[in-house]
């Protein structure tokens, strides 16, 4: 099969799956478990897409926000998934994913349901849950996200999906209300592998960007001028042009809001730890990733885990007091 033919067939399958999920006569029944900073925005976009969404979280306040966004409250995971066509989870870590699926979803969801975990967890947990799902007769995908809280609210997240190729079109359709782009990374676990590698690269590149701006400042080079030069030269990267860590420079970023919102340092540190754990198990050398983990750990230890990860520039500038 030629590349063009394959692309055409892939698009056709995606179109058919989208039609099935968004048919004019029925709405898709979606169970959404985990309504935190990311999940809250994501579930709201599913409701905006006119799906019937049952939402559950241990936080009553989070559930109330989901109801205000058009969802129906579920009293438990079991109630949320009881007749779901799609189950989407956004949970803190691997143990939570294992527990929710192993103790609740597999026992109470219909076998026809498509299961999609959007949490960022370790690759081993993702593959184990996928294996258990297959043994229980379910279709399952790991589909971690990139984009942060603002993208979750805007419905412009990037999804990296690990699943059977035959299931990808259905997964893509189910994620469409929350997605700017959805990419099939490979088999089960590949989505998580892509996520932690991508975020390790992001963490490293942001540190390099912060160091460069801090040095430019010390050398008397205006941040605006350095931004103009770096964004059009060989130093150009996403951390410079789209997420500049200096306020008042380039497109609006969390730096313009006191480093609030965006992607919390604690979450970046979590992803870097996952990357280092994966590297150790795979026997891969990641010295820059290890250094990035150490610097973000130091920054978080100083009480700034809730600040956007780009705020690490203040550590490198020696101006942590300005974040207090």
């Amino acid at each position: 099969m030629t590349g063009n033919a394959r692309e055409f067939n892939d698009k056709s399958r995606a179109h058919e799956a989208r039609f099935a999920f968004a048919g004019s006569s029925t709405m898709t029944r979606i169970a959404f478990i985990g309504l935190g900073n990311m999940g809250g925005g994501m579930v709201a976009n599913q409701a905006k897409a006119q799906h019937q969404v049952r939402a559950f979280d241990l936080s009553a306040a989070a559930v109330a926000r989901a109801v205000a966004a058009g969802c129906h409250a579920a009293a438990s995971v079991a109630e949320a998934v009881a007749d779901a066509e799609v189950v989407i989870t956004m949970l803190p870590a691997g143990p939570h994913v294992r527990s929710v699926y192993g103790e609740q979803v597999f026992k109470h969801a219909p076998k026809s349901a498509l299961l999609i975990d959007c949490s960022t967890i370790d690759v081993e947990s993702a593959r184990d849950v996928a294996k258990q799902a297959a043994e229980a007769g379910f279709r399952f995908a790991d589909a971690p996200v990139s984009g942060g809280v603002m993208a979750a609210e805007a419905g412009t997240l990037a999804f990296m999906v690990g699943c059977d190729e035959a299931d990808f079109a259905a997964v893509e359709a189910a994620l469409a209300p929350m997605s700017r782009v959805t990419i099939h990374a490979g088999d089960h676990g590949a989505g998580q592998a892509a996520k932690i590698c991508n975020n390790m690269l992001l963490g490293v590149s942001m540190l390099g960007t912060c160091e460069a701006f801090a040095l430019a400042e010390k050398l008397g080079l205006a941040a605006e001028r350095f931004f103009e030069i770096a964004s059009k030269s060989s130093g150009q990267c996403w951390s410079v042009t789209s997420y500049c860590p200096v306020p008042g420079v380039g497109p609006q970023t969390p730096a313009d809001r006191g480093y609030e919102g965006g992607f919390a340092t604690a979450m970046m540190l979590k992803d870097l730890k996952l990357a280092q754990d994966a590297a150790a198990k795979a026997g891969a050398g990641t010295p820059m990733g290890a250094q990035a983990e150490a610097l973000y750990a130091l920054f978080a230890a100083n009480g700034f885990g809730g600040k956007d990860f780009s705020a690490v520039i203040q550590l490198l500038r020696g101006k942590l007091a300005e974040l207090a």
Side-chain angles (χ1 to χ4, degrees), residues 209 229-242:
T209 297
I229 294 167
S231 63
K232 297 175 183 177
S233 303
S234 56
Q236 187 277 330
C237 65
W238 187 85
S239 295
V240 171
T241 57
S242 298

Side-chain angles (χ1 to χ4, degrees), residues 206 209 213 227 238-247 249-251 253-255 310:
M206 179 57 76
T209 297
F213 273 98
F227 171 83
W238 187 85
S239 295
V240 171
T241 57
S242 298
Y243 214 88
C244 185
V246 179
V249 177
T253 68
S310 65

Side-chain angles (χ1 to χ4, degrees), residues 5-28:
R6 184 180 297 109
E7 181 180 2
F8 176 80
N9 287 338
D10 289 344
K11 289 181 178 179
S12 296
R13 286 195 298 270
H15 174 78
E16 290 169 0
R18 284 175 188 271
F19 183 82
F21 276 110
S24 58
S25 61
T26 61
M27 61 179 68
T28 303

